[in-house]
Amino acid sequence: MKTTDPFDSPPAPLRPDLRSQWMLKPGVAFLNHGSFGAVPRAVFDAQNEWRKKIEAEPIELLGRRNFELLANAKIPIANWLGMNPGDFGFVTNATDGINGVLRSIALEPDDELLTTTHVYHAVRQAMRLTARRAGATLREVAIGLPVKSSEQIAQLVLEAISPRTRLLVIDHITSPTGLVFPVEKIIAGCAAKGVEVLVDGAHAPGMVPLNIGTLGATYYAANLHKWACAPKGSAFLWVMPQRQRDVHPAIVSHWLDDSFTKEFGWQGTRDISSWLTAPAALAFMADLGWDRIMSHNHHMAAWAHRFLCEKFDVEPLSPLDGSLLGSTATVSLPGKWKDRTLEEIEALQQRIYCEFGIEVPLMRWNERAMLRVSCQVYNMPDEYERLAKVIREI
């Protein structure tokens, strides 16, 4: 009996006209939720309410109640992601948290920082500076495209660990290539070798099921302003209890060495409204149903991946069954664009937005010209069809 492939067609919308719940510019196909996210109107309004409260009583809320307010905001996040509230602190983005970890590690000249060629470039730069200051080494494991399986990824990473490897920084979901890495298997393999692991989970919360407390990582940095749809500047750093005494935020303020909670709870005067609003974002998305959201977005990404590869007549960069995808998919650019310079590709991206009203990131990665589509609940199939038509016409 012939079976129907679920990714031959796009998923049905979770609700009618969900796009109206967001504040996105009318007429623009926003296929780049993965970069900075986008907040629903209700979350935007909730943040404004917090800002009003803070401005009405700046000293009371920031000076006297700061720790209390942040502690309350952490509870629903902890419950959602399987964390103890005391084991993570708020930061402005995942890169901020990663910088805090890297600055807290005392490296020796013979030590090595290890990552992969899929690392987010801002994190690569932070690792470069950390290694340079200590006279240590930064090494990247080459994971070429196309990728065939999660087993291939894990094998390449674990085989690259050397006696000098002090810390592995690994993406949960890669930014440029949109791949879900097998972090559980990699973390377990590193534990057997005595190597600490820092997971860059920038895209993970809200994209894939996640229980950080049982994952086994040493450190986990993640954003809430992407797939959880919290305000920009809402992120966290989780640290295993045994290492919390040694880890400090990138901004060291009054509470140095007092406690992990105090240090991350006060990093100087800043707008904490994004952190206080994160529970409202989780509640908004939970009303749609997290399992339904992740299933819908994954289905759309797997369909869009297959659809664009077919329309562009290009080789898929990961299996067409969607086994390495979350809510994003990266596809090679077709025809003449595959050999163009970064400057030409960036100009094309701007043209696609200005002339055709499509926001989608284009990039060069390891000599490949690619685009990455994001799939959030407000996206519709015709937006990806518009993109394919425009790219082929150009």
Side-chain angles (χ1 to χ4, degrees), residues 91 94-108 113 122-123 125-134 166-167 169 196 198 219 237 239 243-253 256-257 263-264 267 270:
V91 291
T95 306
D96 179 352
I98 290 168
N99 271 268
V101 173
L102 292 174
R103 289 183 57 178
S104 299
I105 293 175
L107 293 176
E108 300 294 335
L113 295 177
V123 174
Q125 298 290 58
M127 295 179 74
R128 285 182 60 203
L129 182 58
T130 300
R132 181 198 305 169
R133 285 175 169 170
R166 172 70 187 281
L167 176 73
V169 179
E196 293 190 339
L198 165 56
Y219 318 96
L237 172 67
V239 179
R243 298 290 283 118
Q244 289 173 11
R245 182 176 58 85
D246 303 317
V247 176
H248 312 282
I251 301 298
V252 175
S253 192
L256 177 66
D257 295 331
E263 286 197 51
F264 279 88
Q267 301 172 52
R270 57 177 60 198

Side-chain angles (χ1 to χ4, degrees), residues 65-79:
R65 295 185 58 200
N66 176 76
F67 292 113
E68 169 204 340
L69 293 172
L70 293 181
N72 290 336
K74 289 166 73 174
I75 293 172
I77 300 167
N79 292 339

Side-chain angles (χ1 to χ4, degrees), residues 32-81:
N32 193 13
H33 187 95
S35 282
F36 307 131
V39 296
R41 295 176 185 274
V43 178
F44 181 85
D45 292 341
Q47 184 178 22
N48 280 342
E49 287 303 310
W50 272 116
R51 284 176 168 153
K52 289 176 184 177
K53 291 177 182 178
I54 291 170
E55 293 309 318
E57 301 179 273
I59 304 304
E60 174 67 10
L61 269 65
L62 290 181
R64 289 190 284 267
R65 295 185 58 200
N66 176 76
F67 292 113
E68 169 204 340
L69 293 172
L70 293 181
N72 290 336
K74 289 166 73 174
I75 293 172
I77 300 167
N79 292 339
W80 180 47
L81 297 176

Side-chain angles (χ1 to χ4, degrees), residues 273-383:
S273 64
S274 61
W275 299 339
L276 300 181
T277 308
L282 300 190
F284 178 91
M285 300 297 279
D287 184 58
L288 295 174
W290 279 114
D291 289 342
R292 296 177 69 227
I293 289 170
M294 288 186 277
S295 176
H296 172 276
N297 293 346
H298 171 68
H299 186 154
M300 187 76 86
W303 168 78
H305 179 223
R306 181 176 300 186
F307 173 78
L308 293 173
C309 285
E310 178 183 332
K311 293 299 181 182
F312 294 168
D313 191 23
V314 295
E315 179 185 24
L317 303 179
S318 65
L320 287 176
D321 63 5
S323 56
L324 292 179
L325 299 181
S327 305
T328 58
T330 297
V331 179
S332 295
L333 285 173
K336 66 180 183 179
W337 290 105
K338 63 184 179 182
D339 298 320
R340 294 302 176 92
T341 65
L342 176 61
E343 290 73 20
E344 289 174 312
I345 291 170
E346 289 177 340
L348 174 62
Q349 177 176 332
Q350 190 67 21
R351 180 185 173 191
I352 291 172
Y353 178 72
C354 293
E355 293 186 24
F356 302 99
I358 301 173
E359 185 68 85
V360 65
L362 277 61
M363 67 204 86
R364 281 196 71 82
W365 183 88
N366 281 17
E367 305 307 316
R368 286 179 179 267
M370 310 184 301
L371 65 79
R372 186 194 72 190
V373 291
S374 294
C375 305
Q376 186 51 284
V377 292
Y378 54 72
N379 289 123
M380 299 299 289
D382 68 298
E383 296 175 307

